[in-house]
Amino acid sequence: MYTASFAFFEAIWEAGVTHCFVNLGSDHPSIIEAMVKGQREAKGNFPRIITCPNEMVAMSMADGYARLTGKPQCVIVHVDVGTQGLGAAVHNASTGRAPVLVFAGLSPFTLEGEMRGSRTEYIHWIQNVPDQTQIIGQYCRYAGEIKTGKNIKQMVNRALQFATSAPQGPVYLVGAREVMEEDITPYSLDQSVWDPVELGGLTPKTSKQIAEALLGAENPLLITGYSGRNQQIPGALVELANIVKGLRVLDTGGSDMCFPASHPGWLGLRFGLDPVIEKSDVIVILDCDVPWIPTLNKPKEGIKIFHIDVDPLKQLMPLFYVPAQHRYRADPLVAVEQITFEAKDQAAKLDSATISKKWDALQASYKDRLATIASKATPAADGSFGTGHLCKTLRSLCPQDTIWAIEAVTNTGFVHDNLQPELPGSWINCGGGGLGWSGGGALGIKLASDVENGGKGKFVVQIVGDGTFLFSVPGSVYWIARRYKIPVLTIVLNNKGWNAPRKSMLLVHPDGLGSTATNEEINISFDPVPDYAGIAKAAAGGDLFAARVDKAEDLERTIKDAIKAVEGGQSAVLDCKVTLGS
């Protein structure tokens, strides 16, 4: 028997999808049959199936896997309710540009046994909604219905073309039981004709113009966010910054590692807020969604602003604009290489004394920046410590090529300042605002690293806020980690509550009633404090290293023990009590 469901799995495998993260239901009889057939008859040529007791975790795992490797992955969920269960993970994949194919069944469209797959259960009436694709369609690059098995491979490849074409993102396919049960004649496609859309670069005139503007500026600035997804970008930006002396690079998305902390042009990660934005006289925006927040800081009037992006119009954002005199839809790496090529030629003609002055000033400001960061990362006299000291300690103890999966919310700046990411692909931050990504995301990243490295991949550390840890559905995360032997080190930043809502309130009402209210009064307190590590250990059936640290003197020893556990194949969760503001 060769069904549409089996052809679906063949199609995703032939297109390069290696894993399916699944949460199955009554719409999946033929899917289950196809899974068993594939695992028995096509072993080694069939996607690996990962059972996920929660849909958001499933989507976040696929997201993490796809973002590290650039290879699309698949999530299978149950009709409308499973689609809704994906929740904020769909938002994260969309804004974080993760290529993920989501498939969900539809309630059967026959009810008297007219076709194999007709309605057989009470729930088939309850879950029959008018248009299931509308549930997540606005977050997807493409949403469609499979209406026959005869072209199911074409439908899958069309969806994946959207998912893998810039800006990448999730796609959604649905299919009724009768359609997925359909017996069809086996067939295959020529995969070479289903490649994603390829972007070009800048015109020669444009690259020359941008190079000239950067070289002639007193305070040139490049703002980026997603460009580091292409792991050739950090090296390309370093080459550009070594030619354009005085060029600073600011990351305002934090989604990927875009520029190494060891370069004097490094400004670190700030979410659209840094004094250098107001001081710059030429700005290049490179593949970035929010270069600055105009109500808090913005560029000077009349300066030159160039916007280079795979999606300069931000077509999924109803409101977006920047005062750029020039904007281009282009591949970021190609554009940077073109600008660098032009800058090399022009730089040779510049006054060497002027260039040296810019370079000396850049190095001096970089030295001051590092000193400021270090001064804030010192434990208090009573032994308490902040996120900065914690992350500085982690950086010194974890393997040099560690991959950091970050969802630290208000602490993200402190985390980035002290981890000081250096290697391409070593920093992956939650792509959006749907808290809870990093639990499944870290598992997906670790799983991908293990697969890509032939079995034992890189060390993976998840750094997550306490409230966000609860959003991540730890009961599902650590069960999966144990079942599939995916060990990660989780660091919970325990500051007894959600602090992001307070920050948001103070930006609008700095002297309002809430400014003097307690965390309990504004309903952001986690007191009594949950046993975060205990929750994870229970989900893992007791097979997990769990510890709590609230004094600096215990931190290094406990981290070393946790690292040893993870390197031995056991996940670890450290509940770290951190002070605010450092």
Side-chain angles (χ1 to χ4, degrees):
M1 182 184 296
Y2 186 90
T3 63
S5 288
F6 192 78
F8 172 85
F9 284 108
E10 275 194 343
I12 61 174
W13 176 261
E14 291 162 0
V17 174
T18 56
H19 290 73
C20 287
F21 304 90
V22 307
N23 191 294
L24 303 172
S26 63
D27 47 331
H28 296 138
S30 64
I31 290 287
I32 294 170
E33 285 286 306
M35 285 179 179
V36 175
K37 177 182 174 70
Q39 290 167 341
R40 290 181 179 178
E41 301 176 11
K43 197 168 184 179
N45 293 294
F46 195 82
R48 185 184 181 193
I49 310 299
I50 305 290
T51 300
C52 298
N54 177 271
E55 294 89 349
M56 181 170 178
V57 177
M59 185 79 176
S60 298
M61 285 188 73
D63 177 309
Y65 195 114
R67 286 175 59 184
L68 181 68
T69 64
K71 300 174 182 177
Q73 301 304 316
C74 179
V75 175
I76 298 178
V77 294
H78 171 47
V79 291
D80 62 325
V81 289
T83 302
Q84 291 169 341
L86 296 168
V90 180
H91 158 91
N92 292 334
S94 182
T95 59
R97 304 182 184 182
V100 177
L101 168 62
V102 179
F103 172 81
L106 295 172
S107 282
F109 54 75
T110 59
L111 57 82
E112 296 188 32
E114 299 94 328
M115 302 173 72
R116 191 171 74 218
S118 287
R119 295 185 182 184
T120 53
E121 300 174 56
Y122 170 87
I123 204 68
H124 292 154
W125 277 261
I126 307 303
Q127 294 172 339
N128 186 198
V129 296
D131 187 352
Q132 190 172 300
T133 59
Q134 286 192 30
I135 298 172
I136 62 171
Q138 65 177 318
Y139 297 96
C140 294
R141 305 300 184 260
Y142 172 82
E145 180 180 349
I146 298 168
K147 297 185 177 181
T148 174
K150 293 179 175 62
N151 71 346
I152 191 168
K153 291 191 175 183
Q154 290 90 335
M155 291 293 290
V156 167
N157 276 275
R158 173 166 168 75
L160 287 172
Q161 271 190 317
F162 276 96
T164 55
S165 295
Q168 296 182 335
V171 292
Y172 185 51
L173 287 176
V174 297
R177 287 212 315 185
E178 296 91 334
V179 173
M180 301 309 291
E181 290 279 359
E182 182 184 354
D183 293 322
I184 63 174
T185 301
Y187 75 105
S188 59
L189 299 179
D190 177 1
Q191 290 299 140
S192 69
V193 302
W194 292 97
D195 287 344
V197 174
E198 185 176 343
L199 289 176
L202 306 170
T203 65
K205 178 183 176 182
T206 295
S207 55
K208 184 176 182 179
Q209 183 182 20
I210 295 174
E212 184 177 318
L214 289 173
L215 288 167
E218 282 296 317
N219 294 294
L221 174 65
L222 187 145
I223 304 176
T224 190
Y226 297 100
S227 63
R229 188 72 51 85
N230 183 334
Q231 294 186 19
Q232 295 181 63
I233 276 284
L237 288 178
V238 166
E239 185 179 1
L240 177 62
N242 285 340
I243 294 168
V244 181
K245 305 295 186 183
L247 177 65
R248 291 176 170 85
V249 178
L250 175 65
D251 188 338
T252 69
S255 183
D256 301 275
M257 186 277 175
C258 298
F259 195 73
S262 59
H263 194 281
W266 178 74
L267 289 175
L269 165 61
R270 298 292 182 269
F271 288 117
L273 182 63
D274 193 283
V276 75
I277 293 170
E278 298 177 338
K279 297 176 182 177
S280 300
D281 51 352
V282 171
I283 298 177
V284 174
I285 304 169
L286 182 71
D287 215 18
C288 176
D289 281 351
V290 189
W292 53 78
I293 301 170
T295 54
L296 301 178
N297 69 162
K298 58 185 178 181
K300 295 181 292 188
E301 293 287 339
I303 72 165
K304 293 180 180 178
I305 300 175
F306 303 88
H307 186 190
I308 305 167
D309 206 300
V310 300
D311 179 23
L313 295 178
K314 308 300 174 187
Q315 294 177 152
L316 291 181
M317 292 184 185
L319 177 63
F320 173 89
Y321 53 87
V322 292
Q325 296 89 351
H326 313 273
R327 51 185 54 83
Y328 315 93
R329 190 187 303 275
D331 179 283
L333 178 63
V334 174
V336 170
E337 290 175 340
Q338 289 177 302
I339 296 167
T340 302
F341 178 81
E342 290 292 343
K344 282 180 181 177
D345 181 56
Q346 296 182 32
K349 305 170 186 175
L350 297 177
D351 177 62
S352 59
T354 302
I355 294 174
S356 295
K357 184 179 178 181
K358 288 182 180 180
W359 185 247
D360 291 344
L362 184 71
Q363 289 182 311
S365 66
Y366 174 67
K367 185 178 179 181
D368 289 344
R369 175 176 291 273
L370 293 182
T372 300
I373 291 171
S375 69
K376 294 179 180 179
T378 304
D382 63 0
S384 62
F385 57 89
T387 299
H389 176 70
L390 168 61
C391 291
K392 181 180 179 181
T393 306
L394 280 168
R395 177 165 59 95
S396 70
L397 297 176
C398 290
Q400 189 175 4
D401 61 351
T402 292
I403 301 175
W404 308 94
I406 308 299
E407 197 172 23
V409 197
T410 54
N411 278 303
T412 303
F414 300 123
V415 174
H416 196 274
D417 279 352
N418 289 280
L419 290 182
Q420 297 176 10
E422 191 67 23
L423 301 176
S426 64
W427 167 286
I428 301 178
N429 191 31
C430 177
L435 300 183
W437 165 85
S438 61
L443 294 187
I445 291 165
K446 175 59 177 171
L447 178 62
S449 182
D450 286 350
V451 171
E452 294 290 307
N453 289 281
K456 187 170 177 61
K458 296 179 180 180
F459 195 81
V460 174
V461 179
Q462 171 198 8
I463 301 180
V464 59
D466 48 6
T468 305
F469 177 82
L470 296 177
F471 274 128
S472 71
V473 198
S476 179
V477 168
Y478 295 98
W479 178 86
I480 295 170
R482 184 191 178 198
R483 172 166 176 173
Y484 294 102
K485 296 179 174 58
I486 312 173
V488 299
L489 170 58
T490 297
I491 304 295
V492 180
L493 304 177
N494 183 349
N495 53 22
K496 297 181 66 176
W498 288 312
N499 286 292
R502 177 179 289 279
K503 180 181 177 182
S504 299
M505 174 196 66
L506 292 174
L507 286 170
V508 180
H509 300 287
D511 302 311
L513 295 175
S515 65
T516 59
T518 65
N519 283 356
E520 284 75 16
E521 285 183 281
I522 61 175
N523 299 291
I524 61 171
S525 170
F526 287 167
D527 195 7
V529 176
D531 181 1
Y532 299 109
I535 292 169
K537 189 165 187 173
D543 187 9
L544 180 138
F545 179 93
R548 189 171 190 271
V549 186
D550 55 13
K551 294 295 182 183
E553 63 188 28
D554 301 320
L555 188 59
E556 184 171 327
R557 171 183 52 79
T558 308
I559 290 175
K560 285 180 177 179
D561 290 344
I563 291 172
K564 184 178 179 180
V566 174
E567 290 180 331
Q570 182 185 55
S571 287
V573 176
L574 298 188
D575 177 353
C576 299
K577 183 180 178 181
V578 294
T579 55
L580 294 175
S582 64

